[in-house]
Amino acid sequence: MTPLTSNQQYDCVVVGSGASGSIIASKLAEAGQSVLILEAGPSRDLKDLISSQLWARQLKWSGSAVEEEGNHKIGHGFNAGFGAGGSALHHYGVWPRLHSNDFDILSKHGKNLDWPISYETLRPYYDEVQADVGISGDAKAEIWRPKGEPYPMPPLPVFAQGQVISKGFSAMGLTTAPIPLAINSVPYKGNPSCVYDGWCDAGCPIGALKNPLVTHLKQAILAGAEIRYDAQVTRVLTDKNRQDVASGVEYIDREGHTQRVKAGRVVLAAFTVQTVRILLNSVRANGVALGNQFDNLGRYLTTHAGRTVFGLFSEQTDPHLGPTGGQLICHDHYDDKTAIKDSFGSYQWLIANAVKPNGLLGYANSRPDIFGPKLQPFMAQAAKHLGNMLYVGEDRSVRENRVMLSDKTDKFGIPVARTVHNAGPEQEAQMAFAMAEGEAIFRAGGATEVWTGPRAPIHIMGGAVMGSKEQTSVTDDLGLVHGTDNLYVVGPSLFPTSGAVNPTFTVSALAYRTAEHLIKTG
Amino acid sequence: MNDLSRRNFIASTGIGLAGLAAGGALLSPRQAQAVSLPLKALTKDQALTLGALGEALVPGALEAGIIQYIDKQLGEPNTLLMLKYLGVDTSAMPGFYRSALGSAHRLSQRLFKKSPEALTANEALAWAENIAAGTDKEWQGPPAGFFFFVVRADACDVVFGSSAGSEALNIPYMAHIAPTTSW
Ligand SMILES: Cc1cc2nc3c(=O)[nH]c(=O)nc-3n(C[C@H](O)[C@H](O)[C@H](O)COP(=O)(O)OP(=O)(O)OC[C@H]3O[C@@H](n4cnc5c(N)ncnc54)[C@H](O)[C@@H]3O)c2cc1C
Ligand code: SF4
């Protein structure tokens, strides 16, 4: 069927309505540009955020299948969202900054990649984002924190679980601080403060946790950006005469019709795997996909290794209280990436996460070895006395870990994404060290029984990495795709290396920087 | 289940074939009869096997509706099943359950010459233990240990994942927006 082409020309078309796309859309619309957001998933409202571990699963990726291979698969089904607000709609709001030693790993250590910018370049954007969005925390208590403005809100309270586990950290000579959270500890910019019920994984309908529906997506719509839901972008179109100029995008609408829209600029914000998939499907007349002239597209795919330490304490911990992302943080192992034998990279502890009984992260599933009549007594004890904390380990950036196109296609005949991701021996060594440390911390804090969950992939980054050289990257430091004039990428796919912190604060700071450039040059 | 050491697992359950005691069937005739309610995705045998396994793993799962939950969700385009997180595409989910439930049913017949719903509680535990260990050479479908993990998680979802389940553990549910139905 012939694609339907609308004659309307937008200044910018943004693909994806999540964390990064809604920042670009709001900033450009506020600057007076005409903006169209195309979102593959459905429209969602705050009232759709039902407090249930089961219903929360409806917020997850439900688009085309993603094939996964490797010894540490990326977990797209858990890590990607779908519809208004993207994964950020039900993310946990843990917002630490990268450290300055995350930006020059190749230069300093001869491995992985360098970022084309330093922490100092990003610092003012971190400060601007945190003032706009609102972060609760205690900058002084974070003795490892890179320079920046203090947080605009005081930290959230530390409940029994955090207090009990922090004793273990102190006994081991380790430092904890309140987690910097994009969650209100006090009312902020019209949104109320958190009520500590631990429902963040299902989305926070009161807006205490800053999801795009209460921040940039709301602002984008208010500023006049248009949004079309159930609109799956399949490829970027280029100008007939100039293949380095993006002229718009092709998408499939909710009726299954192929549509085309024209735009002066195209910004891909479809999260890591789908952004790469769109680019790989955007093949120029010379047979090479946009951004792939040096075979870098899809490469350097990364995911953090996440692994939870669980323990039962004699003291009451009330693990249902607080935010899902946790109460305390430890970055004592961040600044020396070579400190642990046979390992490389940083790691952080996110401590005292609020947990539910069921679900992938719930305590029932942390002990699959307990079932039948033994289960109920375990559950009753865990409901009151469980402690848990999450290890988040830095990944390696290697060319072999990548997103490709599969031979299989989705229901519209578009090749689906295939990913390969393997952890290396240095990541294994770091995780083994951290698990031993975690167990010792829990024992020192008085745990009577300690166990660990399996390694899980958390966050997905890389694939369209930024860099200063075309030969080793896909975009420049602003996300402009090499070899094109007006095609940009935003989101964690830009990260040359993963660091060991949750990515969305950095995603937001980078998107602020790109938006500033797009407005200046608009 | 990937990381679980099979040997530790068996040891920690503390149950073995030798310790089995006689007792009533896992599903009462009334419960078994109730399974003939219209099913969309599963056959009656598959549903009975699922009910027996769910109940053996998480007592209360049958009454909480594990059969109805799985049967309904297998027909939903945007399913609530936890399998969604575990790398199984929605279109492959019915086949996942059907093939493994068939294997589980045959295993019960081989071990005890009984259908799963007729197993005693202790027999059902031994059957579940065998599935968890993944040692059945005739097993077909997804790996038995993985299937065990999934059904156990599903059973936990229906038993603990509601406000009633939470309150039974003495913890407040504290919903912002309470679900109008459990699933
Ligand atoms: C359970 C969970 C907890 C998390 N917790 C944290 C946390 O505490 N801290 C943190 O920093 N990060 C966290 N994250 C990660 C965070 O959500 C992401 O880093 C962030 O949302 C990425 O922003 P993005 O704009 O790139 O993608 P998203 O926010 O995912 O938005 C991408 C959007 O693009 C749409 N899309 C995809 N393909 C297409 C297409 N072809 N056409 C049109 N639209 C398309 C998607 O439907 C989606 O809406 C968490 C993630 C999850 C899943
Ligand atoms: S714990 Fe706080 S941030 Fe999380 S859902 Fe509840 S009110 Fe929202």
Side-chain angles (χ1 to χ4, degrees):
Chain A
M1 197 162 55
T2 321
L4 306 168
T5 307
S6 147
N7 281 328
Q8 196 173 354
Q9 164 97 23
Y10 294 86
D11 292 328
C12 183
V13 61
V14 178
V15 180
S17 68
S20 59
S22 44
I23 288 175
I24 299 293
S26 66
K27 297 281 175 196
L28 299 198
E30 280 162 5
Q33 298 193 16
S34 60
V35 177
L36 172 67
I37 307 170
L38 293 172
E39 167 55 56
S43 166
R44 295 191 199 279
D45 213 324
L46 289 175
K47 67 176 176 354
D48 298 327
L49 302 178
I50 299 168
S51 304
S52 150
Q53 292 290 97
L54 276 76
W55 287 100
R57 294 172 194 157
Q58 288 220 316
L59 306 175
K60 297 288 183 184
W61 178 253
S62 312
S64 319
V66 173
E67 296 175 356
E68 298 185 24
E69 287 168 36
N71 69 15
H72 187 204
K73 299 186 180 85
I74 59 166
H76 194 265
F78 181 77
N79 283 313
F82 194 56
S87 346
L89 182 61
H90 65 294
H91 87 304
Y92 303 163
V94 175
W95 278 35
R97 298 172 185 224
L98 285 171
H99 291 213
S100 45
N101 69 337
D102 284 320
F103 291 83
D104 54 1
I105 294 179
L106 179 62
S107 306
K108 268 211 188 117
H109 303 282
K111 57 175 77 182
N112 299 340
L113 293 171
D114 281 343
W115 288 55
I117 50 173
S118 67
Y119 174 77
E120 279 307 313
T121 315
L122 216 48
R123 177 182 160 187
Y125 300 96
Y126 276 126
D127 289 343
E128 199 184 334
V129 171
Q130 87 176 16
D132 276 2
V133 170
I135 298 185
S136 302
D138 181 347
K140 280 211 183 105
E142 287 177 53
I143 52 168
W144 46 74
R145 184 179 187 255
K147 285 188 190 134
E149 292 294 317
Y151 300 112
M153 285 180 279
L156 272 77
V158 177
F159 295 92
Q161 188 193 174
Q163 290 165 16
V164 168
I165 301 175
S166 72
K167 285 188 212 160
F169 276 85
S170 302
M172 300 271 299
L174 295 164
T175 315
T176 58
I179 297 186
L181 290 161
I183 296 179
N184 290 352
S185 56
V186 292
Y188 194 79
K189 297 199 173 175
N191 289 312
S193 46
C194 175
V195 295
Y196 318 119
D197 51 41
W199 279 117
C200 319
D201 180 61
C204 178
I206 64 169
L209 194 158
K210 308 314 169 53
N211 73 59
L213 292 188
V214 296
T215 58
H216 293 102
L217 190 56
K218 181 178 172 188
Q219 288 159 19
I221 308 292
L222 281 174
E226 183 186 333
I227 181 159
R228 292 183 200 160
Y229 291 106
D230 306 302
Q232 182 193 319
V233 171
T234 52
R235 63 187 177 112
V236 177
L237 303 168
T238 47
D239 191 286
K240 252 192 266 143
N241 306 316
R242 285 193 54 196
Q243 296 258 310
D244 55 340
V245 176
S247 57
V249 297
E250 191 165 271
Y251 72 95
I252 296 162
D253 68 16
R254 64 167 68 98
E255 276 82 40
H257 297 133
T258 302
Q259 304 266 5
R260 287 179 174 175
V261 280
K262 294 188 225 156
R265 275 162 168 165
V266 173
V267 178
L268 298 180
F271 197 39
T272 304
V273 173
Q274 301 303 322
T275 286
V276 172
R277 177 181 177 221
I278 294 168
L279 285 171
L280 286 169
N281 278 318
S282 306
V283 179
R284 291 196 260 207
N286 62 4
V288 177
L290 289 167
N292 204 22
Q293 47 281 37
F294 291 99
D295 188 23
N296 292 318
L297 184 58
R299 295 188 183 274
Y300 306 106
L301 177 69
T302 54
T303 181
H304 292 131
R307 193 159 179 189
T308 303
V309 178
F310 297 91
L312 289 172
F313 293 81
S314 41
E315 287 175 72
Q316 188 154 328
T317 55
D318 292 332
H320 57 282
L321 289 177
T324 310
Q327 302 171 29
L328 295 167
I329 192 167
C330 172
H331 274 201
D332 282 353
H333 294 289
Y334 211 104
D335 285 340
D336 185 354
K337 291 186 188 282
T338 58
I340 300 162
K341 191 172 169 287
D342 299 329
S343 143
F344 181 82
S346 307
Y347 70 89
Q348 65 171 353
W349 287 111
L350 299 176
I351 304 153
N353 312 67
V355 270
K356 299 289 174 193
N358 64 312
L360 194 60
L361 309 179
Y363 40 88
N365 288 321
S366 79
R367 291 296 300 266
D369 56 322
I370 300 179
F371 59 86
K374 291 183 176 172
L375 185 60
Q376 185 63 30
F378 165 75
M379 292 299 287
Q381 197 190 4
K384 297 285 175 206
H385 295 274
L386 186 92
N388 76 125
M389 63 181 186
L390 177 69
Y391 148 84
V392 180
E394 179 165 358
D395 198 3
R396 57 183 185 159
S397 290
V398 293
R399 288 180 66 75
E400 304 74 56
N401 286 342
R402 59 190 293 209
V403 183
M404 292 164 278
L405 290 181
S406 161
D407 298 336
K408 297 206 181 102
T409 56
D410 65 12
K411 62 181 175 189
F412 304 117
I414 313 295
V416 302
R418 183 176 145 234
T419 64
V420 177
H421 184 271
N422 286 290
E426 290 182 330
Q427 286 74 50
E428 305 283 359
Q430 185 194 69
M431 190 171 67
F433 178 91
M435 289 304 103
E437 180 184 67
E439 176 161 355
I441 292 168
F442 269 34
R443 298 259 179 229
T448 50
E449 198 178 333
V450 183
W451 67 99
T452 58
R455 175 177 61 192
I458 49 173
H459 314 126
I460 311 174
M461 297 146 289
V465 301
M466 52 161 65
S468 47
K469 291 193 201 121
E470 276 197 45
Q471 289 75 6
T472 50
S473 56
V474 175
T475 82
D476 72 5
D477 63 305
L478 290 159
L480 176 67
V481 174
H482 295 314
T484 73
D485 251 15
N486 58 347
L487 172 61
Y488 289 81
V489 167
V490 288
S493 41
L494 292 174
F495 288 18
T497 54
S498 72
V501 296
N502 314 54
T504 310
F505 195 10
T506 304
V507 164
S508 304
L510 288 171
Y512 265 50
R513 189 164 174 266
T514 300
E516 182 185 79
H517 159 81
L518 293 176
I519 292 166
K520 267 194 206 144
T521 55
Chain B
M1 194 70 194
N2 312 4
D3 272 19
L4 194 69
S5 142
R6 309 276 175 229
R7 205 168 303 149
N8 291 346
F9 175 73
I10 300 298
S12 69
T13 62
I15 48 174
L17 289 171
L20 296 179
L26 196 62
L27 269 68
S28 71
R30 226 175 97 225
Q31 286 171 321
Q33 185 55 34
V35 173
S36 47
L37 288 170
L39 293 162
K40 287 192 215 135
L42 301 174
T43 64
K44 186 172 180 191
D45 265 355
Q46 288 162 353
L48 284 167
T49 305
L50 175 64
L53 185 57
E55 183 66 21
L57 299 181
V58 183
L62 198 60
E63 201 184 324
I66 184 160
I67 296 172
Q68 293 78 0
Y69 170 57
I70 305 287
D71 188 63
K72 174 163 190 276
Q73 291 303 322
L74 286 177
E76 296 289 328
N78 193 0
T79 179
L80 302 184
L81 293 175
M82 205 178 81
L83 204 48
K84 188 171 184 174
Y85 292 168
L86 300 173
V88 178
D89 192 49
T90 313
S91 60
M93 289 181 189
F96 176 97
Y97 281 95
R98 285 175 194 142
S99 56
L101 288 169
S103 293
H105 190 276
R106 290 190 293 277
L107 178 66
S108 166
Q109 293 284 3
R110 275 202 312 283
L111 288 177
F112 300 107
K113 302 195 170 32
K114 286 182 191 172
S115 288
E117 70 275 15
L119 298 176
T120 64
N122 279 351
E123 286 167 344
L125 277 178
W127 171 58
E129 178 190 332
N130 189 310
I131 297 172
T135 47
D136 177 12
K137 294 216 167 58
E138 289 172 45
W139 185 272
Q140 285 170 3
F146 180 53
F147 176 68
F148 168 93
F149 178 82
V150 171
V151 174
R152 185 182 172 285
D154 293 333
C156 287
D157 274 343
V158 293
V159 172
F160 302 114
S162 62
S163 109
S166 185
E167 273 145 31
L169 290 172
N170 250 326
I171 43 176
Y173 193 71
M174 299 188 293
H176 286 290
I177 298 177
T180 48
T181 57
S182 298
W183 55 78

